[in-house]
Amino acid sequence: MLPTVADLLGLDVIRRGSPRVLAGADRLGDRIRWVHVIELADAAHLLQGGELVLTTGIALPSDSTLLARYVADLAAAGVSALAVELGRRYVGSLPAALVRTAEASDLPLIAFEREVPFVEITEAVHARIIDAQLEELRASERLHEVFTELSVAGASPDEIVRQAGALSGRPVILADLSHRVLAFEPASADPARLLAGFATRSRAIRPPGRTGYDEASGWLVTQVGARGEDWGRVILVCDAEPTATDTVLIERAATTLALGRLLARHRESLDRQAHRTLISGIITQAHADPAEAAVRARALGVPVNGRQLIAMVLRLRGSGPGISDHARVLEVADAAAAACRGENVPALVGTLDALPALDGAAGAMLSLPPRADPDQVLATLATRTRDRLGSEHDGPQPVVVIGVGTAVTSIRDVRRSFLEAGQVTDVAAGSPGSGGAPGSSAFYRLPDLRLRGLLYLLRDDTRLQTFAERELGPLLAHDALLARNGELMSALAAYLEAGGNKAEAAKNSHLARPTFYDRLHRIERILNTDLSSAESRTSLHVAMLTLDRLPNA
């Protein structure tokens, strides 16, 4: 850590000069980046900020106005301190204009009452600065080693955050863009106090860049994301202004968390790899000519011309990104491939990682004859896949949810079928009231989706999270700030559920009409919206449903 002005005043070489602080005593905690000996009256343009400027004052002007400008220019350049040796230009004391301007500019001004060789000061201070920089480099290297090991080991977010907390000795929090705490390490802090009102406090902090320090809260915040899309923030709770090492630590933690989502997959069979590569190319439309994809499919034994092409997505209920989960998804892909072979159904089968929305699932492109009954084939394949998975596990049978896309006749449209199947699967696997419990149907189709299911599907989309925060954030913050226990949010929910009928909403809320109407007026003022507008009500209703879809929202 770079030394402060106060640190340097304690050095023996400087103490020999009998230093006396004449101005800016409250800024002695500023860091010194370098030392310059400058005997010029216009030195400010040579400086970059953070310097200790040493001078005998021999070249300084006599005019008070010019002296004041000299000090003001140094302060504007970001100089950390100005030290003047008495005895050559000034005897006994410094000019009042110099001291007065330094005090007004909040610039530490130091007078050496005894002669001291400036070269000794520069050598001592530079040695101290270089030592601090070397220590920061060593610390950075240690952090690099630790987080590299975590990346290679495929550490979980909890472990990464825990290690960051251990290295810093301070609380570390990982939150998503809806200000939900995904993982945290309290260090020596009280967890309840650390997380009390977290969402409200977090919403108030918007760093100007990817990494920034909020002095009011004492939070050092950095964004977490990969492939150009941010999905969360890492927060280091500081008890003082963070150091360069703190910044390196939190940014390395964020990078490691981001890489966790891009971790190399488990090794697959050559057959599965070939199928996965072709499926990925179809989904991402990597083939400039669809005919190329058709040729490659035929080369893998899957005809596409004159056939019904149906996408099927299989997802383990409750599974998520991670190494062990990916291994299970490979088992699902193998089971689905075996089921297709058993029923003589030509198919491309593999894991789906071409799009983030399909990551963590297995998929198949089925090729059926024009007159085949898709429902019958799909039901048989679903049963065989579940049976095979059950026979390969010693424990309970894993719950596999299967979504099916619309049948298409061109390989160009298979991508749309996959996206539909993925949407249906996600909703059926995790959204309440979205089509029954697992096993109640062999597979699910697009008509099972409704608005609540669609919002559940998009729950991790940062654009949807941002929309919900923009629509309802001020109201959430207002209720939290005044400890209203969500009374305005409850009033808005009742009003929206009643379809904009104020009297019915007041009755359902067990409130007198004047009281309920007053709450609606306050909601309109806080959100700067007109609740009589159908579009406004629809927008707020979607935002409300979005919050319901977010865990712990």
Side-chain angles (χ1 to χ4, degrees):
M1 183 183 299
L2 293 174
T4 64
V5 179
D7 292 334
L8 300 189
L9 290 174
L11 294 177
D12 289 340
V13 65
I14 289 181
R15 290 174 61 186
R16 289 201 299 269
S18 297
R20 183 159 49 95
V21 178
L22 303 180
D26 59 336
R27 294 289 300 276
L28 298 183
D30 287 7
R31 303 285 172 185
I32 299 295
R33 184 183 59 80
W34 206 242
V35 180
H36 279 304
V37 180
I38 302 180
E39 299 291 3
L40 294 173
D42 58 344
H45 70 284
L46 302 174
L47 304 172
Q48 298 179 353
E51 295 93 350
L52 167 62
V53 173
L54 302 177
T55 181
T56 64
I58 195 168
L60 297 185
S62 301
D63 182 77
S64 297
T65 302
L66 296 178
L67 272 179
R69 182 183 300 171
Y70 168 75
V71 175
D73 288 347
L74 291 183
V79 167
S80 295
L82 169 63
V84 183
E85 181 187 82
L86 300 178
R88 296 181 183 273
R89 179 69 168 82
Y90 305 113
V91 179
S93 64
L94 295 178
L98 200 67
V99 177
R100 186 170 55 251
T101 307
E103 190 66 49
S105 302
D106 208 16
L107 174 66
L109 176 62
I110 303 164
F112 289 126
E113 297 183 339
R114 294 181 182 178
E115 185 180 67
V116 57
F118 283 171
V119 66
E120 293 183 9
I121 294 178
T122 57
E123 286 178 350
V125 176
H126 287 171
R128 181 81 175 264
I129 291 171
I130 292 172
D131 285 345
Q133 292 173 339
L134 286 175
E135 181 56 35
E136 288 182 356
L137 287 174
R138 295 189 190 101
S140 178
E141 181 64 22
R142 288 196 298 271
L143 294 177
H144 174 75
E145 292 175 355
V146 169
F147 285 109
T148 298
E149 290 177 1
L150 291 172
S151 295
V152 172
S156 68
D158 282 328
E159 177 61 22
I160 295 169
V161 170
R162 186 162 48 249
Q163 286 289 347
L167 289 167
S168 66
R170 286 175 288 191
V172 177
I173 303 170
L174 170 64
D176 66 9
L177 297 185
S178 290
H179 311 286
R180 296 173 295 167
V181 176
L182 305 178
F184 77 100
E185 169 55 46
S188 59
D190 176 16
R193 184 175 180 181
L194 179 67
L195 300 182
F198 175 81
T200 300
R201 289 184 289 148
S202 181
R203 285 190 180 100
I205 297 175
R206 296 182 177 88
R210 291 195 62 78
T211 302
Y213 176 63
D214 181 73
E215 188 174 356
S217 63
W219 286 5
L220 178 63
V221 182
T222 192
Q223 301 292 324
V224 184
R227 292 176 176 171
E229 181 178 351
D230 293 333
W231 53 265
R233 306 199 300 182
V234 179
I235 299 164
L236 179 66
V237 182
C238 304
D239 50 10
E241 186 174 350
T243 65
T245 300
D246 292 329
T247 301
V248 172
L249 183 147
I250 194 174
E251 290 181 344
R252 286 292 288 126
T255 299
T256 305
L257 287 163
L259 287 175
R261 290 197 170 189
L262 305 177
L263 207 59
R265 302 305 188 185
H266 275 190
R267 186 169 56 189
E268 300 172 82
S269 67
L270 290 177
D271 189 38
R272 292 282 70 74
Q273 286 185 42
H275 283 219
R276 174 173 58 82
T277 300
L278 183 51
I279 291 174
S280 295
I282 292 172
I283 293 176
T284 60
Q285 297 179 328
H287 306 291
D289 183 359
E292 177 187 350
V295 169
R296 295 186 62 184
R298 285 195 296 272
L300 289 171
V302 181
V304 295
N305 294 333
R307 309 279 289 187
Q308 298 183 72
L309 306 178
I310 303 174
M312 182 172 69
V313 174
L314 306 92
R315 188 181 295 278
L316 292 164
R317 176 181 286 270
S319 68
I323 292 179
S324 59
D325 289 325
H326 185 73
R328 297 177 66 202
V329 172
L330 286 176
E331 293 178 1
V332 173
D334 288 337
C340 290
R341 287 195 300 269
E343 290 298 310
N344 294 319
V345 175
L348 298 173
V349 185
T351 58
L352 301 177
D353 55 7
L355 293 176
L358 298 178
D359 197 13
M365 186 197 78
L366 309 180
S367 175
L368 306 183
R371 297 183 180 181
D373 182 353
D375 288 353
Q376 180 179 348
V377 175
L378 288 165
T380 302
L381 292 178
T383 300
R384 278 184 171 269
T385 299
R386 291 191 175 100
D387 289 345
R388 186 173 181 84
L389 285 170
S391 67
E392 292 180 351
H393 285 75
D394 296 330
Q397 177 178 339
V399 179
V400 179
V401 181
I402 300 175
V404 177
T406 302
V408 298
T409 57
S410 169
I411 199 166
R412 186 193 301 273
D413 298 323
V414 170
R415 178 181 189 273
R416 173 169 54 84
S417 186
F418 264 115
L419 294 179
E420 289 180 3
Q423 292 171 358
V424 174
T425 305
D426 281 355
V427 176
S431 178
S434 60
S440 63
S441 178
F443 56 89
Y444 299 93
R445 291 187 180 278
L446 188 60
D448 295 326
L449 282 175
R450 301 199 70 184
L451 179 59
R452 289 179 182 272
L454 180 61
L455 292 177
Y456 175 84
L457 163 74
L458 300 174
R459 67 195 182 281
D460 291 325
D461 191 309
T462 56
R463 293 167 296 182
L464 185 64
Q465 295 174 8
T466 301
F467 164 77
E469 285 294 324
R470 184 174 62 248
E471 290 290 313
L472 295 173
L475 194 60
L476 290 167
H478 180 273
D479 273 352
L481 181 64
L482 300 182
R484 297 287 188 177
N485 199 25
E487 69 174 27
L488 294 184
M489 282 290 292
S490 298
L492 178 60
Y495 177 68
L496 296 175
E497 287 293 337
N501 188 320
K502 296 181 181 180
E504 181 181 348
K507 179 182 178 181
N508 294 339
S509 299
H510 306 290
L511 292 173
R513 290 187 184 182
T515 300
F516 188 81
Y517 295 171
D518 177 67
R519 292 185 181 180
L520 292 182
H521 288 313
R522 280 188 284 158
I523 290 171
E524 287 181 322
R525 288 197 302 270
I526 293 169
L527 296 181
N528 191 27
T529 191
D530 179 10
L531 292 179
S532 65
S533 164
E535 183 176 352
S536 294
R537 292 198 303 273
T538 300
S539 185
L540 291 171
H541 200 183
V542 170
M544 190 79 73
L545 292 176
T546 297
L547 289 181
D548 290 341
R549 298 298 92 195
L550 298 175
N552 301 321

